[in-house]
Amino acid sequence: MLELRPGCECCNRDLPPSSREAMICTFECTFCADCARAVLGGICPNCAGELVRRPVRPPTALARHPASTVRVFNPDCRNRQAG
């Protein structure tokens, strides 16, 4: 099950579970759509994987399986090489 991390690792923008602006890689690194496109070129700086839109968990499922509250923030993501 996806963690649904609460924010962009690059700019720290809030990304609630209902956000359609959240992008993830296969390791669930999480970025906002703006950083994913403009800063990262659609590639995760941590694993070099493709960034795709994170699915939205329905409210009933979210009640049973809440989103993560652990925030990952790496402000230097703009300077890192993928891989």
Side-chain angles (χ1 to χ4, degrees):
M1 175 176 339
L2 295 175
E3 290 182 17
L4 302 180
R5 295 177 186 168
C8 176
E9 287 186 29
C10 195
C11 72
N12 210 27
R13 174 180 165 188
D14 288 339
L15 295 169
S18 61
S19 176
R20 295 192 181 274
E21 294 295 312
M23 307 290 284
I24 60 171
C25 71
T26 60
F27 291 99
E28 298 184 57
C29 300
T30 304
F31 302 93
C32 69
D34 291 339
C35 286
R37 279 190 299 266
V39 177
L40 305 172
I43 303 296
C44 178
N46 303 317
C47 70
E50 178 184 18
L51 294 170
V52 298
R53 191 178 72 78
R54 181 181 73 189
V56 173
R57 187 171 299 157
T60 54
L62 194 57
R64 288 190 317 266
H65 305 284
S68 174
T69 58
V70 177
R71 190 174 287 269
V72 176
F73 178 49
N74 297 310
D76 65 336
C77 80
R78 297 168 187 264
N79 302 319
R80 289 188 297 171
Q81 293 288 327

